[in-house]
């Protein structure tokens, strides 16, 4: 186990060493130390018992070419700065706005990208006591406070977002498991709201607010059991993905308030969720230390990623690295009609025209990628290679980058010849595509012989998973014991995915004969190991989890969902290995945002870090960059 751990860490170097750069197939990413944002005194924040540090960006389109603004919360404080990114060093002495709150702490925030100008921005801030404040950190005028008397909900605000395409509607999720739709123009009333049932479905209900005058909230969604940890709107604004403490991802048609599909975590709560730029895939992360990829069209889990050693706190797609390679010139028409294998979902019954209007910041950014992805047609004869890049950060202080490649997305197709980034270990291609097409069977991928570690099987096993036990100080309840033959099984059943870490190359030295024997040997012990390592009661070692299970034994009993479409067993779906997995902070990570020429991370100590993309780094090499003229990077 130690050996595999060291291999994954890159040769067992200084385990606690923090990485400031790393290399992927597109080049070197570098931490820009001058571009670190934090509290002005730069003192690490003592974060015990504090809410996660969160970051929001907005571009105010001012003429100087420096229109990016950053907002972040640290403890009781909220800061608003000009964000200079890779261009200039951060000047922390001059926040445009700084607020310190008494009695309640900011927990999350969101800018309205539609209404932002150089003179005025609308920023929503959610609080630990349940209130939501609307402020303008540029004008610093009087703000509005929603749920001020906490008559609507007394629990912590977990997520707040403007409804895409709307200047006035916003959605707020709470630790109570409820979400509320507000209109900034309406008041919240002086009495607790009375509700009337609008729609009910499996484990969710939507109520309207009964009132003579227009008042907030317009709607109340009650979703699942326990806290609603995060939600995310699809790129077209029509669907809403929610993740909850009960371990469920639920995807709704937002306007029609209908459930589109669900997925269950391997165990524990789900903490974070995001959409691919074309809206076809959803990634969720949580207390099972995994990232899970779910297909919106097929409503099923298509892959899981194992790289984190503790809870996954943020997942995000990188719209700039998501790529489509074609043999013909690209067309940027973006027509979606000619593409889907399944008919597209029916158009929503629009209850609010504003909610589904399609002008949203960030959507235009993703459009070029989107139109190219929409050209992907599996029945087409053109060789096309699709790669989605996403990232995740966790409480283990690690950043993981993942590639979601064609062999995972379209497992039944012969592999395209125009692969842009085949892994070294893919040198031997499987004959006739037997071991290479991921049919998702348990065991030995259809053929007894293992061709190469990377292309062997799309399946992985209980043993392979347990060779990375999640032993971290924070008692994540995931201390799966290692199977006796876990090292050999990890080597023999590496999934077929071209996103293996560099450390995994050491596995390639196993001789073919060895691998075959171990593979078969493992096959015999497979069932036994699986039962021992992956029974639900065994994994949740926390006493509180056991109490909850006894108390509930309800319709969402984890033991009943394991092995179903909601939550396939580990060996029934491809297991992705991270492209890179690096420790980048001293404290748990709480932010990951991909921008055009960099990506941004933040940790609980209150340090917001900018990582330049390959080729974007020459701008901050000298110390006197504060005097250099501001310019956009080409």
């Amino acid at each position: 186990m130690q050996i595999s751990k060291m291999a994954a860490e890159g040769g067992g170097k200084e385990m606690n060493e923090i990485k400031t750069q790393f290399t992927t197939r597109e080049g070197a990413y570098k931490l820009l130390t001058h571009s670190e944002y934090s509290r002005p005194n730069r003192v690490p924040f003592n974060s015990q018992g504090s809410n996660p540090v969160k970051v929001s960006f907005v571009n105010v389109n001012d003429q100087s070419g420096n229109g990016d603004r950053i907002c972040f919360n640290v403890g009781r404080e909220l800061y608003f700065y000009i964000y200079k990114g890779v261009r200039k060093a951060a000047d922390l002495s001059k926040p445009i706005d700084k607020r310190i709150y008494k009695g309640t702490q900011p927990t999350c925030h969101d800018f309205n990208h539609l209404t932002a100008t150089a003179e005025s921005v609308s920023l929503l801030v959610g609080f630990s006591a349940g209130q939501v404040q609307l402020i303008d950190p540029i004008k610093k005028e009087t703000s509005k406070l929603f749920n001020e008397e906490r008559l609507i909900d007394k629990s912590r605000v977990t997520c707040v977002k403007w409804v895409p395409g709307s200047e006035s509607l916003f959605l707020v999720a709470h630790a109570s498991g409820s979400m509320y739709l507000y209109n900034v123009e309406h008041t919240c009333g002086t009495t607790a709201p009375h509700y009337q049932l609008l729609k009910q479905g499996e484990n969710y209900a939507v109520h309207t607010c009964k009132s003579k005058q227009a008042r907030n909230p317009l709607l109340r969604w009650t979703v699942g059991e326990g806290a609603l940890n995060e939600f995310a709107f699809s790129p077209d604004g029509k669907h809403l993905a929610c993740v909850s403490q009960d371990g469920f991802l639920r995807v709704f048609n937002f306007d029609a308030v209908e459930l589109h599909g669900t997925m269950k975590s391997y165990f524990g709560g789900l903490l974070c969720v995001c959409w691919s730029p074309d809206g076809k895939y959803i990634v969720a992360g949580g207390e099972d230390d995994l990232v899970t990829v779910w297909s919106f069209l097929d409503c099923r889990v298509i892959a899981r990623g194992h790289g984190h050693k503790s809870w996954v706190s943020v997942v995000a797609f990188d719209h700039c690295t998501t790529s489509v390679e074609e043999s013909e010139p690209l067309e940027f028409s973006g027509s979606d009609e000619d593409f889907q294998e399944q008919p597209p979902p029916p158009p929503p019954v629009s209850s609010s025209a504003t909610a589904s209007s399609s002008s949203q910041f960030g959507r235009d950014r993703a459009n070029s990628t989107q139109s190219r992805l929409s050209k992907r047609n599996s029945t087409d004869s053109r060789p096309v290679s699709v790669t989605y890049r996403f990232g995740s950060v966790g409480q283990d202080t690690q950043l993981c980058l993942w590639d979601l490649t064609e062999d995972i997305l379209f497992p039944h197709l012969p592999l395209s010849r125009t692969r842009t980034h085949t892994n070294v270990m893919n040198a031997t291609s499987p004959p006739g595509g037997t071991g290479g097409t991921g049919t998702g069977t348990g065991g030995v991928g259809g053929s007894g012989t293992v061709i190469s570690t990377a292309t062997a099987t799309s399946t992985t096993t209980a043993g392979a998973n347990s060779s990375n036990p999640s032993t971290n100080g924070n008692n994540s309840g995931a201390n799966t014991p290692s199977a006796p033959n876990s090292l050999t099984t990890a080597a023999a059943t590496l999934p077929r995915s071209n996103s293996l870490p560099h450390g995994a190359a050491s596995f390639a030295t196993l001789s073919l004969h060895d691998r075959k024997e171990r593979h078969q040997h493992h096959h015999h012990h497979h069932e036994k190991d699986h039962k021992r390592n992956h029974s639900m009661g065994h994994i949740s070692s926390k006493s509180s989890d056991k109490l909850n299970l006894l108390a509930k034994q309800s319709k969402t009993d984890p033991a009943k969902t394991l092995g179903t479409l909601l939550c396939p067993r580990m060996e029934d779906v491809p297991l992705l290995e991270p492209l890179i997995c690096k420790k980048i902070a001293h404290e748990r990570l709480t932010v990951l945002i991909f921008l055009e020429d960099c990506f941004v991370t933040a940790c609980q100590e209150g340090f917001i870090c900018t990582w330049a993309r390959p080729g974007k780094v020459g701008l901050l090499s000298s110390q006197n960059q504060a005097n250099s003229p501001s310019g956009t990077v080409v």
Side-chain angles (χ1 to χ4, degrees):
M1 188 197 86
Q2 271 310 316
I3 305 167
S4 68
K5 204 167 183 182
M6 277 164 60
E9 296 278 344
K13 272 186 276 178
E14 192 56 38
M15 285 294 186
N16 242 7
E17 193 185 322
I18 287 189
K19 298 286 181 280
T20 55
Q21 68 177 65
F22 58 85
T23 306
T24 62
R25 61 187 156 82
E26 61 271 11
Y29 289 80
K30 293 183 179 158
L31 176 67
L32 301 179
T33 46
H34 303 308
S35 294
E36 185 179 83
Y37 285 77
S38 66
R39 298 185 298 166
N41 60 10
R42 294 192 185 273
V43 172
F45 174 66
N46 177 6
S47 60
Q48 293 309 308
S50 172
N51 288 292
V53 172
K54 294 281 176 77
V55 172
S56 297
F57 284 101
V58 67
N59 190 296
V60 299
N61 302 314
D62 71 350
Q63 300 309 303
S64 71
N66 197 12
D68 287 323
R69 302 289 179 269
I70 185 172
C71 168
F72 56 92
N73 59 291
V74 182
R76 297 184 298 125
E77 300 161 27
L78 187 77
Y79 291 94
F80 180 72
Y81 280 100
I82 292 177
Y83 178 69
K84 294 171 183 172
V86 299
R87 291 186 296 273
K88 282 187 178 180
D91 181 359
L92 297 184
S93 63
K94 298 177 190 151
I96 301 173
D97 197 14
K98 173 191 173 181
R99 292 165 190 243
I100 300 177
Y101 294 94
K102 291 188 179 71
T104 183
Q105 292 190 1
T107 56
C108 50
H109 29 84
D110 190 44
F111 287 107
N112 192 324
H113 300 283
L114 215 56
T115 59
T117 65
E119 291 75 46
S120 167
V121 292
S122 296
L123 176 67
L124 290 166
V125 185
F127 289 90
S128 54
Q131 307 91 335
V132 177
Q133 191 181 29
L134 173 67
I135 58 178
D136 186 332
I138 297 179
K139 284 187 172 168
K140 301 184 180 58
E141 286 176 355
T142 51
S143 56
K144 289 183 178 175
L145 198 53
F146 301 92
N147 191 28
E148 181 175 8
E149 304 297 325
R150 302 168 69 219
L151 297 166
I152 297 167
D153 199 306
K154 290 183 164 57
S155 67
R156 176 174 50 92
V157 176
T158 54
C159 186
V160 60
K161 287 196 167 75
W162 292 96
V163 173
S166 174
E167 299 191 2
S168 55
L169 298 176
F170 62 93
L171 193 60
V172 183
H174 286 260
S176 62
S178 294
M179 275 190 307
Y180 303 89
L181 182 67
Y182 287 83
N183 186 326
V184 287
E185 309 303 334
H186 298 178
T187 63
C188 287
T190 50
T191 55
H194 291 283
Y195 294 106
Q196 186 171 352
L197 185 66
L198 175 68
K199 191 164 283 188
Q200 201 162 10
E202 193 184 343
N203 264 357
Y204 83 97
V206 183
H207 290 80
T208 54
C209 186
K210 277 198 326 194
S211 168
K212 289 191 175 67
Q213 297 90 27
R215 68 161 282 183
N216 283 317
L218 308 178
L219 291 178
R220 178 184 75 179
W221 297 61
T222 318
V223 180
E225 296 167 29
L228 203 161
N229 288 322
E230 191 176 39
F231 63 81
F233 284 100
S234 60
D236 63 4
K238 291 177 182 167
H239 289 87
L240 182 71
C242 307
V243 288
S244 301
Q245 199 53 42
D246 62 8
F248 277 87
L249 159 75
R250 294 178 178 86
V251 183
F252 296 96
N253 180 319
F254 184 60
D255 290 339
V257 292
E258 280 169 356
L259 188 63
H260 169 81
T262 55
M263 183 271 285
K264 169 77 176 61
S265 70
Y266 200 68
F267 61 82
L270 284 176
L271 304 175
C272 52
V273 64
C274 66
W275 292 78
S276 64
D278 56 3
K280 289 199 191 101
Y281 301 98
I282 293 172
V283 172
E287 296 176 359
D288 54 10
D289 303 359
L290 300 168
V291 292
T292 304
V293 186
W294 190 80
S295 163
F296 176 81
L297 287 172
D298 299 341
C299 289
R300 65 182 184 90
V301 175
I302 58 164
R304 289 192 180 102
H306 189 277
H308 286 286
K309 299 181 182 67
S310 183
W311 296 357
V312 179
S313 44
V314 189
V315 284
F317 273 86
D318 179 356
H319 55 279
C320 297
T321 312
T322 294
S323 64
V324 178
E325 308 288 330
E326 289 192 64
S327 59
E328 290 180 16
L330 293 175
E331 297 167 45
F332 289 94
S333 59
S335 80
D336 272 310
E337 292 85 74
D338 61 343
F339 135 78
Q340 278 136 344
E341 290 101 341
Q342 284 87 356
V349 184
S350 183
S351 59
S352 61
T354 45
S356 56
S357 150
S358 68
S359 56
Q360 180 209 6
F361 168 85
R363 195 175 304 158
D364 296 333
R365 280 183 169 180
N367 269 353
S368 60
T369 300
Q370 204 169 328
S371 57
R372 284 150 59 193
L373 286 170
S374 69
K375 306 303 289 177
R376 172 66 171 87
N377 188 338
S378 67
T379 56
D380 214 327
S381 57
R382 282 178 306 181
V384 181
S385 166
V386 189
T387 304
Y388 295 84
R389 166 70 54 81
F390 65 95
S392 56
V393 295
Q395 301 205 359
D396 56 2
T397 71
Q398 294 197 129
L399 161 77
C400 290
L401 292 182
W402 313 81
D403 267 358
L404 190 55
T405 46
E406 195 175 35
D407 46 348
I408 303 291
L409 301 172
F410 309 105
H412 303 297
L413 294 177
L415 287 183
S416 145
R417 292 214 184 102
T418 56
R419 298 314 287 276
T420 48
H421 48 271
T422 322
N423 191 279
V424 235
M425 289 150 61
N426 261 348
T428 33
S429 60
T434 42
T437 53
T439 47
T441 52
V444 207
S447 75
T449 338
V450 183
I451 315 296
S452 80
T453 32
T455 53
T457 58
S458 71
T459 59
T460 158
T461 56
N465 187 40
S466 60
S467 67
N468 299 317
S470 309
T471 41
N472 201 36
N474 71 354
N475 183 14
S476 72
N479 304 330
T480 323
S482 180
N485 55 350
S486 61
L487 174 62
T488 56
T489 51
T493 58
L494 273 172
R496 176 193 35 74
S497 134
N498 35 342
S499 40
L500 292 160
H502 303 302
S506 57
F507 290 142
T509 56
L510 283 167
S511 75
L512 191 64
H513 177 67
D514 264 11
R515 252 180 280 160
K516 195 155 66 173
E517 267 183 14
R518 289 171 181 186
H519 212 95
Q520 287 163 349
H521 164 73
H522 174 70
H523 198 39
H524 296 305
H525 292 276
H526 180 79
E527 285 303 309
K528 199 167 68 183
D529 283 351
H530 179 75
K531 289 192 178 94
R532 185 171 67 226
N533 288 325
H534 287 282
S535 70
M536 276 294 140
H538 185 83
I539 287 175
S540 44
S541 57
K542 275 195 197 161
S543 52
S544 61
D545 286 359
K546 293 208 173 109
L547 287 171
N548 287 347
L549 276 177
L550 289 171
K552 281 196 186 133
Q553 287 306 343
S554 67
K555 45 197 175 280
T556 59
D557 181 359
K560 291 196 179 104
T561 60
L562 183 67
T564 65
L565 209 60
L566 276 177
C567 178
R569 294 184 182 279
M570 285 307 282
E571 68 270 25
D572 288 343
V573 289
L575 190 69
L576 302 173
E577 297 280 332
L579 208 60
I580 63 108
C581 186
K582 304 287 181 195
K583 178 181 172 68
I584 59 163
H586 289 295
E587 272 291 329
R588 60 195 165 120
L589 292 160
T590 55
V591 171
L592 174 63
I593 299 170
F594 288 98
L595 300 173
E596 293 299 321
D597 37 23
C598 59
F599 69 86
V600 173
T601 59
C603 72
Q604 200 48 34
E605 286 186 320
F607 296 115
I608 291 100
C609 297
T610 297
W611 298 77
R613 289 184 186 273
K616 306 284 185 184
V617 76
L619 305 148
L620 277 178
S621 47
S622 59
Q623 274 289 358
N624 60 354
Q625 71 284 343
N627 311 326
S628 66
S630 145
T632 320
V633 193
V634 181

